[in-house]
């Protein structure tokens, strides 16, 4: 049975559970449950602290896990990315009191509070900046006010929490993060059974289908047949549009996938071209065969 770790709480927990459901997997009904078995799909889910997931996966106790990329990097565990899941996006940055006109090099010799000491040390070492790292497990933003540190390094999403504590970011992001599906780094002495490998592949492909579905909308429109080549240039789809003849002579019905962020621009262009009845609808999940360059 495949063993998969999911965040038990925090900003990644509910989106991760939602993605599992959209991929066809059962999820716990009580947030206090630490594990549950999806017998139909042959998977046992474990709900763990996001910071611990990479450690369990790296030691081989679990086959797969969902955690933040920053947490994966901070753990130093022998794991690798299988798939970026597209939610929980954030930046990891330095922040100082908003009135201080500091540059990155001004951190040299200062105290920096963070919950990610490994990431911070590695980044500062690369910049040849020496600083004292103060490790905290939470509430990093208040450390400057309490006199524990001169600056902080923390995860930034909207920046609202930093502003509430009178802080402002400085320098480029130390790292960018999002929810990530991870697995143990492969080695010749860590061979998996064929059954485990097959179930892992199905699991990853289902999640990939949900990620792709969230990035696209389905677009349907009617188009004069003579304008179809131009319409296909505007909305080519993943492979090619699906085209069906209409009862009206000289017209065709077209169905294609369009990136969500481009939807309105594509609709505008199709309308100007002469397309009619342009509709969009959400995609719940999909499968897109990956190519290896042989086609």
């Amino acid at each position: 049975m495949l063993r998969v770790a999911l965040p038990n709480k925090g900003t990644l927990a509910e989106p991760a559970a939602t993605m599992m459901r959209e991929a066809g997997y059962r999820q716990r009904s009580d947030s206090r449950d630490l594990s549950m078995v999806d017998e139909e799909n042959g998977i046992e889910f474990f709900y763990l602290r996001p910071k611990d997931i990479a450690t369990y996966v790296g030691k081989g106790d679990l086959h797969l896990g969902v955690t933040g990329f920053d947490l994966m990097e901070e753990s130093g565990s022998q794991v690798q990315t299988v798939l970026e899941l597209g939610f929980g996006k954030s930046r990891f940055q330095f922040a100082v009191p908003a009135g201080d006109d500091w540059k990155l090099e001004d951190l040299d010799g200062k105290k920096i509070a963070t919950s990610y000491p490994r990431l911070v040390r590695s980044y500062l070492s690369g910049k040849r900046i020496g600083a004292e790292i103060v490790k905290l497990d939470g509430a990093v933003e208040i450390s400057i006010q309490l006199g524990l540190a001169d600056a902080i390094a923390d995860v930034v999403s909207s920046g609202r929490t930093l502003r509430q504590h009178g802080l402002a970011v400085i320098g480029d992001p130390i790292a960018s993060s999002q929810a990530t599906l991870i697995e143990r780094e492969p080695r010749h002495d860590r061979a998996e059974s064929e059954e485990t490998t097959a179930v892992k592949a199905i699991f990853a492909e289902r999640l990939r289908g949900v990620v792709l579905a969230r990035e696209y909308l389905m677009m349907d429109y009617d188009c004069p047949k003579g304008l179809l080549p131009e319409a296909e240039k505007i909305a080519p789809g993943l492979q090619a549009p699906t085209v069906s003849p209409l009862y009206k002579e000289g017209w065709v019905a077209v169905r294609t996938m369009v990136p969500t962020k481009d939807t309105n621009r594509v609709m505008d262009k199709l309308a100007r071209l002469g397309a009619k009845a342009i509709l969009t609808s959400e995609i719940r999940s999909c499968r897109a065969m990956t190519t290896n360059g042989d086609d």
Side-chain angles (χ1 to χ4, degrees), residues 6-10 13 28 31 33-34 46-50 53:
L6 298 179
N8 66 338
K9 58 183 178 180
R28 61 181 180 176
S31 61
D33 292 342
L34 299 180
F46 294 86
Y47 301 90
L48 308 172
R49 290 201 322 160
I53 288 175

Side-chain angles (χ1 to χ4, degrees), residues 61-78:
D61 298 314
L62 300 166
H63 297 107
L64 295 168
V66 173
T67 191
F69 179 80
D70 53 348
L71 296 173
M72 180 190 83
E73 289 287 284
E74 175 64 23
S75 74
S77 300
Q78 296 181 6

Side-chain angles (χ1 to χ4, degrees), residues 187-223:
R187 271 188 355 204
H188 65 87
D189 59 340
R190 295 175 179 170
E192 295 178 337
S193 68
E194 291 185 5
E195 181 182 1
T196 297
T197 300
V199 178
K200 280 177 65 174
I202 292 171
F203 185 85
E205 194 59 31
R206 283 196 189 186
L207 296 193
R208 186 174 285 108
V210 175
V211 172
L212 190 63
R214 291 177 175 183
E215 294 175 350
Y216 284 82
L217 289 175
M218 187 65 72
M219 184 173 290
D220 294 270
Y221 61 92
D222 297 341
C223 179

Side-chain angles (χ1 to χ4, degrees), residues 90-126:
S90 61
R91 305 178 311 280
F92 187 54
Q93 292 193 272
F94 293 108
V96 300
D100 294 349
D101 187 20
W102 284 17
K103 297 181 176 61
L104 186 64
E105 52 267 28
D106 294 324
L107 295 176
D108 192 56
K110 300 295 193 297
K111 291 183 178 180
I112 303 175
T114 184
S115 299
Y116 301 80
R118 184 174 179 273
L119 274 176
V120 174
R121 286 195 184 98
S122 176
Y123 184 84
L124 291 177
S125 177

Side-chain angles (χ1 to χ4, degrees), residues 4-274:
V4 179
L6 298 179
N8 66 338
K9 58 183 178 180
T11 58
L12 300 182
E14 188 53 39
T18 297
M19 175 169 278
M20 296 304 124
R21 294 188 187 99
E22 291 179 4
Y25 297 109
R26 290 182 56 232
Q27 287 297 288
R28 61 181 180 176
S29 56
D30 189 333
S31 61
R32 294 170 296 182
D33 292 342
L34 299 180
S35 66
M36 70 147 291
V37 175
D38 182 344
E39 292 280 2
E40 183 178 351
N41 291 293
I43 295 181
E44 185 171 11
F45 290 100
F46 294 86
Y47 301 90
L48 308 172
R49 290 201 322 160
K51 283 189 174 183
D52 296 336
I53 288 175
T55 301
Y56 283 109
V57 174
K59 289 182 177 179
D61 298 314
L62 300 166
H63 297 107
L64 295 168
V66 173
T67 191
F69 179 80
D70 53 348
L71 296 173
M72 180 190 83
E73 289 287 284
E74 175 64 23
S75 74
S77 300
Q78 296 181 6
V79 295
Q80 64 183 18
T81 297
V82 177
L83 177 67
E84 293 179 338
L85 300 178
F87 63 87
K89 293 183 178 181
S90 61
R91 305 178 311 280
F92 187 54
Q93 292 193 272
F94 293 108
V96 300
D100 294 349
D101 187 20
W102 284 17
K103 297 181 176 61
L104 186 64
E105 52 267 28
D106 294 324
L107 295 176
D108 192 56
K110 300 295 193 297
K111 291 183 178 180
I112 303 175
T114 184
S115 299
Y116 301 80
R118 184 174 179 273
L119 274 176
V120 174
R121 286 195 184 98
S122 176
Y123 184 84
L124 291 177
S125 177
K127 298 292 184 179
R128 296 188 176 182
I129 295 173
E132 180 183 344
I133 306 300
V134 180
K135 185 181 183 304
L136 299 176
D137 288 330
V140 175
E141 298 87 357
I142 201 68
S143 61
I144 297 177
Q145 186 178 337
L146 293 176
L148 294 176
D150 303 299
I152 69 168
D154 202 15
V155 173
V156 179
S157 297
S158 65
R160 181 176 61 87
T161 304
L162 290 182
R163 291 191 295 271
Q164 286 178 340
H165 291 87
L167 303 177
V169 299
I170 62 168
D172 296 326
I174 302 168
S176 296
S177 182
Q178 63 175 295
T180 305
L181 180 66
I182 64 173
E183 66 178 357
R184 194 182 194 189
E185 288 181 350
R187 271 188 355 204
H188 65 87
D189 59 340
R190 295 175 179 170
E192 295 178 337
S193 68
E194 291 185 5
E195 181 182 1
T196 297
T197 300
V199 178
K200 280 177 65 174
I202 292 171
F203 185 85
E205 194 59 31
R206 283 196 189 186
L207 296 193
R208 186 174 285 108
V210 175
V211 172
L212 190 63
R214 291 177 175 183
E215 294 175 350
Y216 284 82
L217 289 175
M218 187 65 72
M219 184 173 290
D220 294 270
Y221 61 92
D222 297 341
C223 179
K225 191 173 182 179
L227 297 178
L228 188 57
E230 290 300 314
E232 186 175 355
K233 291 179 183 177
I234 296 171
L238 288 184
Q239 209 164 17
T242 299
V243 181
S244 306
L246 286 177
Y247 181 76
K248 185 176 181 180
E249 184 69 26
W251 283 74
V252 292
V254 183
R255 165 166 280 200
T256 188
M257 290 173 64
V258 177
T260 303
K261 61 183 178 61
D262 298 334
T263 300
N264 287 300
R265 179 181 59 81
V266 170
M267 293 178 78
D268 293 340
K269 287 186 175 182
L270 289 174
R272 286 196 297 268
L273 182 65

